[in-house]
Each structure stands twice: as C-alpha cells, then as structure tokens.
C-alpha cells in the first residue's frame, strides 16, 4: 500500500449553506488526523444553490484542502464560476491559480503522508500540543508545516480574527503582503478577493517557507 487513502467528502452529501461550509473544516481535519489524507468536500454544496458569496468563499477555503472538486446534484442550478458574474469569476480564478502555484508544496505534503503518515492538513494543536488554548480551534488549519489558512466561513465578514500559534519570538508572514506578525490573535481585513493566509517564519522549517515565498515573488 502507498499509505495514501482516498475519501471524498467529510460527510454525507452536503448542502449549499454556510453551516455546511463551517462543518467541512473540522470534518476534513478529523479525517486527516485519522490517517485519511486525501479528502475534500463538494465545493458549493452538493444540494441547493449557493449564493455568489458562498461559492466564492467555498472555493477560497477548498484550494488549501487536499482534494478539490466542484460537484452538485443534477437538480441544482449550473455552477460554472463565469455564471456568477465577472467579480466572482475573477476571485475564483485567482484562488484556483494559487492552488496550481502551490502544487509542488502540496505534492510534498502528500509524499510525507505516504512515507510517515504526516497529515496533509492538520489542526493548529498538532504542532503545538502543549497549548491547550488551541484544542477548540476548528477554523484555522495548517497545510503542511509552513502555511496557515484561515478561511472566511461567515457571510459579510470585513475583518477576520486569526489565531497564530507559537511562543514569544515566533514569526509569521502575511502571504499577500509579507507583513510580519507575531504569535497571538490578529485581526486582518478581508475582501471578497482574498482570505487570510500566513506562512511560518521558522528557520527550522525554512525550506517550506522559502518555497512559498518564491511563489509569492512570481505573483
């Protein structure tokens, strides 16, 4: 066996709702911790018809999850991004382009999963087990050991609280701006064009971070 297990969907067929988008994060994290790294949820929900905002936010969350697929029931309305207007098309395209730019980094995480069962995505407490304040955090997650995704999971957000784990002196970099942040809770502005993404500025994990920063330089 390669050690890679495939599983589609963290639940039975999901629904086009903010609640199900929120539920998808802890479900996929639980499956990764349990040894099923190749997991995803139907982008936009299998049943129902997502709003422009919900579909955009779902894509922006899903591009950092192991298995990405837009999929829906035959009775739902068409889901092609260009049917949701120019702005949504642009924002979803940018999210998918970032996914492709990250593929070498994502493939590296799958290699680790196949060789030593390291989760592709993991909750914040995975790398900080002594920090009990992280145990209940089910919104942010790490992709590999160098990238933190904090997806927008509620409608209408303009400011987003992000938990950055670590100790005094830990350094994080905003993936969009390269602004430096310390450990703790930070409040970041969000637009429909982006969600908070941060890279860990830890020299012991510098290979991952340098690879991510090279991606930034090409954008």
């Amino acid at each position: 066996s390669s050690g890679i297990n495939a599983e589609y969907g963290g639940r039975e067929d999901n629904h086009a709702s903010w609640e199900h988008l929120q539920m998808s994060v802890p479900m996929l994290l639980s499956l990764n911790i349990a040894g099923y790294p190749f997991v995803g949820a139907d982008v936009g929900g299998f049943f129902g018809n997502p709003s422009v905002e919900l579909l955009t936010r779902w894509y922006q969350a899903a591009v950092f999850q192991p298995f990405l697929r837009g999929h829906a029931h035959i009775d739902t309305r068409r889901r092609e991004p260009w049917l949701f207007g120019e702005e949504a098309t642009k924002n979803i395209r940018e999210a998918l382009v970032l996914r492709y730019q990250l593929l070498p980094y994502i493939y590296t995480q799958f290699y680790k999963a196949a060789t030593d069962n390291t989760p592709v995505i993991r909750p914040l407490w995975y790398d900080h087990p002594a920090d009990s304040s992280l145990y209940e955090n089910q919104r942010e997650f790490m992709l590999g050991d160098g990238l933190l995704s904090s997806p927008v999971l509620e409608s209408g957000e303009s400011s987003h609280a992000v938990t950055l784990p670590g100790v005094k002196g830990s350094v994080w970099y905003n993936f969009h701006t390269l602004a430096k942040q310390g450990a703790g809770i930070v409040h970041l502005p969000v637009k429909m064009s982006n969600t908070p993404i941060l890279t860990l500025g830890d020299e012991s994990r510098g290979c991952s971070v340098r690879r991510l920063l090279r991606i930034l330089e090409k954008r």
Side-chain angles (χ1 to χ4, degrees):
S1 170
S2 66
I4 291 288
N5 297 290
E7 178 81 16
Y8 194 74
R11 55 172 291 111
E12 295 298 321
D13 292 328
N14 58 355
H15 193 270
S17 70
W18 290 97
E19 179 186 11
H20 280 204
L21 171 58
Q22 294 160 13
M23 292 168 63
S24 69
V25 176
M27 287 183 172
L28 299 180
L29 289 172
S30 296
L31 286 165
N32 263 253
I33 292 296
Y36 291 85
F38 195 29
V39 292
D42 293 334
V43 174
F46 183 72
F47 292 115
N49 300 298
S51 65
V52 173
E53 182 185 13
L54 177 58
L55 185 68
T56 301
R57 293 306 192 195
W58 210 314
Y59 268 105
Q60 290 171 340
V63 295
F64 300 102
Q65 295 165 351
F67 191 22
L68 169 65
R69 182 179 74 163
H71 182 56
H73 190 269
I74 192 172
D75 291 331
T76 61
R77 293 196 291 267
R78 297 283 293 272
R79 297 281 186 84
E80 288 85 353
W82 54 86
L83 298 177
F84 287 74
E86 291 184 9
E87 181 182 3
T89 301
K90 176 178 179 291
N91 293 335
I92 293 171
R93 180 190 294 118
E94 288 178 354
L96 293 172
V97 167
L98 178 57
R99 169 76 173 202
Y100 275 90
Q101 291 174 322
L102 288 171
L103 281 181
Y105 177 78
I106 294 172
Y107 286 177
T108 300
Q109 309 318 310
F110 274 102
Y111 173 79
K112 293 178 180 179
T115 54
D116 62 13
N117 294 317
T118 302
V120 173
I121 58 173
R122 73 280 302 262
L124 300 188
W125 56 258
Y126 182 87
D127 292 311
H128 305 272
D131 188 349
S132 60
S133 69
L134 301 175
Y135 294 170
E136 298 299 320
N137 187 310
Q138 300 188 78
R139 184 176 67 178
E140 281 93 17
F141 61 91
M142 297 294 297
L143 171 59
D145 61 6
L147 189 150
L148 183 149
S149 173
S150 183
V152 175
L153 304 176
E154 296 181 9
S155 178
E157 280 198 43
S158 59
S159 179
H160 195 72
V162 182
T163 301
L164 302 177
V167 296
K168 184 177 180 180
S170 295
V171 176
W172 293 84
Y173 292 97
N174 187 310
F175 193 84
H176 302 292
T177 67
L178 285 184
K180 184 185 294 188
Q181 305 280 353
I185 297 176
V186 298
H187 294 268
L188 301 176
V190 293
K191 301 178 181 179
M192 281 304 302
S193 59
N194 65 65
T195 60
I197 314 163
L198 295 105
T199 61
L200 180 61
D202 184 341
E203 289 302 321
S204 68
R205 300 172 185 173
C207 180
S208 296
V209 176
R210 284 194 297 272
R211 187 176 294 116
L212 289 170
L213 294 181
R214 282 200 297 272
I215 292 171
L216 253 185
E217 292 171 357
K218 297 176 181 178
R219 300 187 72 195

